[in-house]
């Protein structure tokens, strides 16, 4: 196909045509010589054709950037919502007459939803596509957060927060390479911004406005996603195209996945989705050990949301808004790590080019006391944020490269474990700081992380041998 015809084909598929799922069948598609004869016994097998305008990889850079930004915004909104309430802990306790433990549970239950949601949304999106799942789940996420703004009991808030986390988790999807750096950045930058924004808004307008702010942010992302994000899952795009071709020509078109009898039912996909991550956690050492490492770091991140109010608001007597500013230290580290990840991804591509495109997955692994000035503890968050994103990005890429067709299950296992840690850590944080004091309590996650430091080096050196002994690894 000439460049001119390619451009013409691309022009016929506007963003709104893609969003509405229309005009995917062009003359080029109708005239393409597919394998097969078009009968029930020997159907045409539909694949993307060269320079296919309906193939997401052939969409314009501008369109792909719009999709990436909006999808990233959804991930940011979800993770932001997980911690924004921590900036209004004292208002919630006073207004609802609840204990600190119950209010902290509003954060833990939201993060617990991160562990439950992906197990449902992943198989459903494989059957019905990414777009429809986003539209439904993120709309529900916005509604549940709006409900929190009008809640009058602690039980109502806890229930709504759990469902908001479960439905909002549909945005927590990953992809490899440079885009992964953006998607890994959002779930960890969002929580650091939540207490800051929630703290200042809660001081001036109260906790209900914080809940309203979360709903407004979610609503904006939901509207933008509904209007501008088309279906991007190749299997669903091709299956719909096959159905339309069959209707237009009165011949039989199918996709390769279905002709091989591999097209699974929703029940089968749900069963696999609910069981396989646990199989990976207990039987795949790469997944179990590296997921444990990420879970400890992720749990530490959420531990900070219970620790910082103790350190800065109770001990230093800072206001809730000012008490959220120390989280900016972690944000600076995260942004530095994001820039570093772009550089490492560039080096990875150079190595891949030198080795003919075949690169082993192992290549992916390359103070708080009031008597001490507050800047020391704030600056300490910078290397934590930097290390958090670098570890997350490296391990996630490594799991994807190591498990390929089973990458979704490996990532699901990782997400489940780290979300469980993220939900549990804030619950015992107040007791730990009361019993151990600021210094030793802050050292506990440091010791746990230190014990995991050798893991990336071990897998870098022995990863290839370990993968050969694993059932699902490539």
């Amino acid at each position: 196909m000439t460049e001119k015809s390619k451009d013409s084909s691309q022009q016929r598929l506007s963003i709104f045509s893609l969003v509405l799922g229309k005009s995917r069948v062009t003359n080029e598609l109708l005239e393409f010589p597919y394998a097969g004869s078009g009968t029930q016994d020997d159907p045409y097998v539909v694949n993307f054709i060269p320079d296919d305008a309906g193939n997401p990889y052939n969409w314009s850079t501008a369109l792909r950037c719009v999709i990436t930004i909006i999808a990233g915004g959804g991930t940011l909104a979800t993770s932001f919502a997980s911690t924004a309430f921590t900036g209004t802990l004292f208002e919630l306790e006073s207004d609802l007459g609840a204990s600190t433990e119950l209010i902290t549970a509003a954060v833990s239950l939201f993060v617990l939803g991160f562990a439950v949601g992906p197990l449902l949304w992943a198989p459903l999106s494989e059957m019905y596509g990414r777009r429809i799942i986003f539209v439904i789940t993120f709309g529900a996420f916005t509604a549940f957060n709006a409900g929190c703004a009008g809640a009058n009991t602690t039980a109502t808030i806890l229930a709504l927060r759990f469902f908001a986390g479960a439905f909002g988790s549909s945005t927590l999807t990953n992809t490899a390479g440079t885009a992964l750096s953006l998607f890994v950045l959002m779930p960890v930058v969002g929580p650091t911004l939540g207490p800051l924004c929630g703290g200042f808004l809660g001081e001036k307008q109260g906790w209900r406005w914080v809940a309203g702010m979360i709903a407004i942010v979610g609503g904006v992302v939901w509207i933008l996603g509904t209007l501008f994000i088309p279906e991007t899952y190749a299997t669903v795009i091709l299956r719909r195209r096959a159905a339309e071709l069959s209707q237009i020509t009165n011949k039989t078109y199918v996709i390769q996945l279905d002709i091989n009898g591999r097209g699974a039912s929703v029940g089968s996909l749900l069963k696999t989705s609910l069981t396989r991550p646990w199989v990976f956690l207990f039987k795949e050492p790469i997944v179990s050990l590296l997921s444990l490492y990420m879970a400890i770091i992720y749990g530490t991140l959420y531990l900070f949301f219970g620790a910082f109010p103790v350190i800065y608001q109770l001990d230093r007597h800072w206001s809730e808004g000012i008490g959220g500013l120390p989280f900016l230290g972690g944000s600076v580290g995260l942004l530095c790590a994001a820039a570093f990840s772009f550089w490492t991804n560039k080096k990875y591509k150079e190595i891949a080019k030198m080795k003919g495109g075949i690169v082993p997955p192992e290549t992916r692994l390359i103070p708080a006391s009031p008597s001490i000035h507050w800047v020391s503890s704030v600056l300490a968050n910078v290397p934590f944020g930097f290390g958090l994103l670098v570890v997350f990005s490296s391990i996630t890429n490594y799991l994807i490269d190591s498990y390929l067709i089973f990458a979704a299950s490996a990532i699901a296992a990782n997400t489940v474990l780290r979300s469980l840690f993220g939900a549990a850590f804030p619950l015992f944080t107040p007791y730990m700081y009361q019993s151990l004091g600021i210094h030793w309590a802050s050292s506990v996650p440091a010791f746990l992380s230190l014990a995991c430091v050798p893991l990336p080096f071990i897998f870098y050196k022995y990863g290839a041998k370990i993968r050969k002994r694993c059932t699902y690894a490539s």
Side-chain angles (χ1 to χ4, degrees):
M1 183 183 294
T2 65
E3 187 68 28
K4 183 177 180 180
S5 63
K6 176 184 175 183
D7 292 341
S8 176
S9 179
Q10 292 282 7
Q11 290 174 2
R12 283 196 296 270
L13 294 179
S14 67
I15 183 172
F16 295 108
S17 295
L18 291 171
V19 167
L20 295 173
K22 297 180 179 179
S23 302
R24 290 192 185 276
V25 176
T26 61
N27 290 331
E28 290 86 356
L29 299 177
L30 288 168
E31 298 169 1
F32 188 79
Y34 299 102
S37 56
T39 64
Q40 289 286 346
D41 296 330
D42 186 25
Y44 288 129
V45 180
V46 178
N47 290 300
F48 287 122
I49 66 175
D51 297 327
D52 195 324
N55 186 345
Y57 284 101
N58 292 333
W59 293 347
S60 68
T61 301
L63 175 56
R64 285 182 287 172
C65 285
V66 168
I67 294 172
T68 301
I69 291 171
I70 296 176
T75 307
L76 179 65
T78 301
S79 58
F80 173 83
S82 69
T83 60
F85 261 27
T86 62
T88 62
L89 288 179
F90 300 118
E91 278 87 357
L92 281 164
E93 290 178 24
S94 175
D95 192 17
L96 300 178
S99 64
T100 302
E101 291 79 9
L102 276 177
I103 300 302
T104 303
V107 176
S108 296
L109 286 173
F110 192 99
V111 180
L112 185 62
F114 290 174
V116 176
L119 298 178
L120 299 175
W121 312 135
L124 290 176
S125 68
E126 289 183 10
M127 288 295 296
Y128 302 111
R130 314 295 195 222
R131 171 177 162 77
I132 186 64
I133 296 301
F134 169 82
V135 172
I136 293 174
T137 59
F138 217 74
F141 164 78
T142 302
F144 284 124
N145 282 314
C148 287
N152 293 315
T153 65
T154 306
T156 302
I157 289 180
L158 294 180
L160 291 174
R161 289 280 292 173
F162 171 76
F163 286 113
F167 280 89
S169 66
S170 65
T171 61
L172 302 179
T173 56
N174 291 312
T175 182
T178 301
L180 175 66
S181 300
L182 298 176
F183 278 97
V184 171
L185 179 65
M186 296 305 174
V188 288
V189 165
T192 64
L193 297 178
L196 174 63
C197 299
F200 278 114
L201 182 60
E203 276 183 356
K204 302 297 183 182
Q205 303 296 335
W207 67 268
R208 294 186 186 277
W209 265 104
V210 174
M213 173 187 65
I214 296 171
I216 290 171
V217 171
V220 170
V221 173
W222 177 62
I223 292 172
L224 291 176
T226 301
L227 292 178
F228 298 110
I229 295 184
E231 181 56 59
T232 59
Y233 187 41
T235 299
V236 171
I237 293 174
L238 291 175
R239 187 174 282 139
R240 291 174 180 171
R241 177 181 291 180
E244 191 170 352
L245 285 168
S246 298
Q247 184 178 11
I248 293 173
T249 63
N250 290 321
K251 294 184 179 181
T252 304
Y253 291 79
V254 297
I255 63 173
Q256 189 67 50
L257 185 68
D258 293 338
I259 202 173
N260 289 341
R262 292 169 53 201
S265 65
V266 175
S268 175
L269 285 171
L270 281 173
K271 181 180 178 181
T272 301
S273 176
L274 291 170
T275 57
R276 186 177 286 168
W278 301 104
V279 174
F280 273 55
L281 276 177
F282 291 107
K283 292 189 175 181
E284 296 288 317
I286 293 175
V287 176
S288 56
L289 292 175
L290 292 180
S291 294
L292 178 63
Y293 189 13
M294 287 182 67
I296 290 173
I297 297 174
Y298 197 68
T300 302
L301 174 66
Y302 278 88
L303 179 147
F304 285 166
F305 301 122
F308 276 29
V310 174
I311 295 171
Y312 295 106
Q313 295 179 37
L314 293 182
D315 283 18
R316 296 182 182 274
H317 307 292
W318 291 8
S319 67
E320 291 176 336
I322 300 299
L325 290 175
F327 287 104
L328 291 179
S331 298
V332 171
L334 290 167
L335 294 175
C336 292
F340 178 73
S341 295
F342 282 105
W343 179 81
T344 56
N345 189 61
K346 180 181 178 182
K347 299 300 292 185
Y348 176 83
K349 290 180 179 179
E350 292 176 358
I351 295 173
K353 186 176 181 180
M354 290 171 55
K355 296 188 176 183
I358 301 175
V359 185
E362 286 70 34
T363 308
R364 293 288 191 180
L365 302 173
I366 340 196
S369 172
S371 61
I372 301 174
H373 197 275
W374 58 265
V375 74
S376 300
S377 56
V378 173
L379 290 178
N381 283 314
V382 176
F384 172 78
F386 183 91
L388 186 152
L389 185 61
V390 170
V391 170
F392 267 47
S393 181
S394 299
I395 291 179
T396 304
N397 266 317
Y398 180 58
L399 291 176
I400 291 172
D401 289 354
S402 293
Y403 288 92
L404 298 178
I405 62 172
F406 298 112
S409 294
I411 296 302
N414 180 283
T415 301
V416 167
L417 188 62
R418 82 178 192 221
S419 297
L420 291 175
F421 273 56
F425 273 43
L427 294 176
F428 62 75
T429 298
Y431 300 106
M432 185 172 69
Y433 273 79
Q434 289 173 12
S435 301
L436 301 179
I438 289 176
H439 297 97
W440 280 110
S442 300
S443 299
V444 169
F447 292 142
L448 292 174
S449 299
L450 182 63
C452 295
V453 166
L455 291 177
F457 299 97
I458 292 173
F459 283 110
Y460 181 81
K461 186 172 183 179
Y462 302 107
K465 295 180 180 179
I466 295 173
R467 283 188 288 112
K468 289 180 180 179
R469 296 176 178 269
C470 294
T471 303
Y472 295 97
S474 60

Coordinates of all heavy atoms in Angstrom, one line a residue, residues 166-194:
A166 N -12.3 -0.9 44.4 CA -12.5 -2.0 43.5 C -12.8 -1.6 42.1 O -12.2 -2.2 41.1 CB -13.6 -3.0 44.1
F167 N -13.7 -0.7 41.9 CA -14.1 -0.3 40.6 C -13.0 0.6 39.9 O -12.7 0.5 38.7 CB -15.4 0.5 40.6 CG -16.6 -0.5 40.7 CD1 -17.1 -0.9 41.9 CD2 -17.2 -0.9 39.5 CE1 -18.2 -1.8 41.9 CE2 -18.3 -1.8 39.5 CZ -18.8 -2.2 40.8
G168 N -12.4 1.5 40.7 CA -11.3 2.3 40.2 C -10.1 1.5 39.8 O -9.3 2.0 39.0
S169 N -9.9 0.3 40.3 CA -8.7 -0.5 40.0 C -8.7 -0.9 38.6 O -7.7 -1.4 38.1 CB -8.6 -1.7 41.0 OG -9.7 -2.6 40.7
S170 N -9.8 -0.7 37.8 CA -9.8 -1.2 36.4 C -8.8 -0.4 35.6 O -8.3 -0.8 34.5 CB -11.2 -1.0 35.8 OG -11.5 0.4 35.8
T171 N -8.3 0.8 36.1 CA -7.4 1.6 35.4 C -5.9 1.2 35.6 O -5.0 1.6 35.0 CB -7.5 3.1 35.8 OG1 -7.2 3.2 37.2 CG2 -8.9 3.6 35.5
L172 N -5.7 0.3 36.6 CA -4.4 -0.1 37.0 C -3.8 -1.2 36.1 O -3.6 -2.3 36.5 CB -4.3 -0.6 38.5 CG -4.8 0.5 39.5 CD1 -4.8 -0.1 40.9 CD2 -4.0 1.7 39.4
T173 N -3.7 -0.8 34.8 CA -3.1 -1.8 33.9 C -1.7 -1.3 33.5 O -1.3 -0.2 33.6 CB -4.0 -1.8 32.6 OG1 -4.1 -0.5 32.1 CG2 -5.3 -2.4 32.9
N174 N -0.9 -2.3 33.1 CA 0.5 -2.0 32.8 C 0.9 -2.4 31.4 O 0.3 -3.3 30.8 CB 1.5 -2.7 33.7 CG 1.4 -2.2 35.1 OD1 1.4 -1.0 35.3 ND2 1.2 -3.1 36.1
T175 N 1.9 -1.7 30.8 CA 2.5 -2.1 29.6 C 4.0 -1.9 29.7 O 4.4 -1.2 30.6 CB 1.9 -1.2 28.4 OG1 2.5 -1.6 27.2 CG2 2.2 0.3 28.6
A176 N 4.7 -2.5 28.8 CA 6.2 -2.5 28.9 C 6.8 -1.2 28.4 O 6.2 -0.4 27.6 CB 6.8 -3.7 28.3
G177 N 8.1 -1.0 28.7 CA 8.9 0.1 28.1 C 8.6 1.4 28.7 O 8.3 1.6 29.9
T178 N 8.7 2.4 27.8 CA 8.5 3.8 28.2 C 7.1 4.1 28.8 O 7.0 4.8 29.8 CB 8.8 4.8 27.0 OG1 10.1 4.5 26.5 CG2 8.7 6.2 27.5
A179 N 6.1 3.6 28.2 CA 4.7 3.8 28.7 C 4.6 3.2 30.1 O 3.8 3.8 30.9 CB 3.7 3.2 27.7
L180 N 5.3 2.1 30.3 CA 5.2 1.5 31.7 C 5.7 2.5 32.7 O 5.1 2.6 33.8 CB 6.0 0.2 31.7 CG 6.1 -0.4 33.1 CD1 4.7 -0.9 33.5 CD2 7.1 -1.6 33.1
S181 N 6.7 3.3 32.4 CA 7.2 4.2 33.4 C 6.2 5.2 33.8 O 6.1 5.6 34.9 CB 8.5 5.0 32.8 OG 9.5 4.1 32.5
L182 N 5.3 5.6 32.8 CA 4.3 6.6 33.1 C 3.2 5.9 34.0 O 2.7 6.5 34.9 CB 3.6 7.1 31.8 CG 4.6 7.8 30.9 CD1 3.9 8.2 29.6 CD2 5.1 9.1 31.5
F183 N 2.8 4.6 33.6 CA 1.8 4.0 34.4 C 2.2 3.5 35.8 O 1.4 3.4 36.7 CB 1.3 2.8 33.6 CG 0.3 3.2 32.5 CD1 0.6 3.4 31.2 CD2 -1.1 3.4 32.9 CE1 -0.3 3.7 30.3 CE2 -2.0 3.7 31.9 CZ -1.6 3.9 30.6
V184 N 3.5 3.2 35.9 CA 4.1 2.9 37.2 C 4.2 4.2 38.1 O 3.9 4.2 39.3 CB 5.4 2.3 37.2 CG1 6.1 2.1 38.5 CG2 5.3 0.9 36.5
L185 N 4.4 5.3 37.4 CA 4.6 6.6 38.1 C 3.2 7.1 38.7 O 3.2 7.5 39.9 CB 5.1 7.7 37.1 CG 5.3 9.1 37.7 CD1 6.3 9.1 38.8 CD2 5.6 10.1 36.6
M186 N 2.2 6.9 38.0 CA 0.9 7.4 38.4 C 0.4 6.8 39.7 O -0.1 7.5 40.6 CB -0.2 7.3 37.3 CG 0.1 8.1 36.1 SD 0.3 9.8 36.4 CE 0.8 10.5 34.8
P187 N 0.4 5.5 39.9 CA -0.1 4.9 41.1 C 0.7 5.3 42.4 O 0.3 5.1 43.5 CB 0.0 3.4 40.9 CG 0.1 3.2 39.4 CD 0.8 4.4 38.9
V188 N 1.9 5.7 42.2 CA 2.7 6.1 43.4 C 2.9 7.6 43.6 O 3.1 8.1 44.7 CB 4.2 5.5 43.3 CG1 4.1 4.0 43.5 CG2 4.9 5.8 42.0
V189 N 2.7 8.4 42.5 CA 2.6 9.9 42.6 C 1.3 10.3 43.2 O 1.2 11.2 44.1 CB 2.9 10.6 41.3 CG1 2.5 12.0 41.4 CG2 4.3 10.5 40.9
G190 N 0.2 9.6 42.7 CA -1.1 10.0 43.2 C -1.3 9.9 44.7 O -1.8 10.9 45.3
P191 N -0.8 8.9 45.4 CA -0.9 8.8 46.9 C -0.1 9.9 47.6 O -0.5 10.3 48.7 CB -0.4 7.4 47.2 CG -0.6 6.6 46.0 CD -0.4 7.6 44.8
T192 N 1.0 10.4 47.0 CA 1.7 11.4 47.6 C 1.1 12.8 47.5 O 1.3 13.7 48.4 CB 3.2 11.5 47.1 OG1 3.1 11.9 45.7 CG2 3.9 10.2 47.2
L193 N 0.3 13.0 46.5 CA -0.4 14.2 46.3 C -1.7 14.3 47.1 O -2.2 15.4 47.5 CB -0.8 14.5 44.8 CG 0.4 14.6 43.9 CD1 0.0 14.8 42.5 CD2 1.3 15.8 44.3
G194 N -2.3 13.1 47.4 CA -3.6 13.0 48.1 C -3.6 13.8 49.4 O -4.5 14.6 49.7

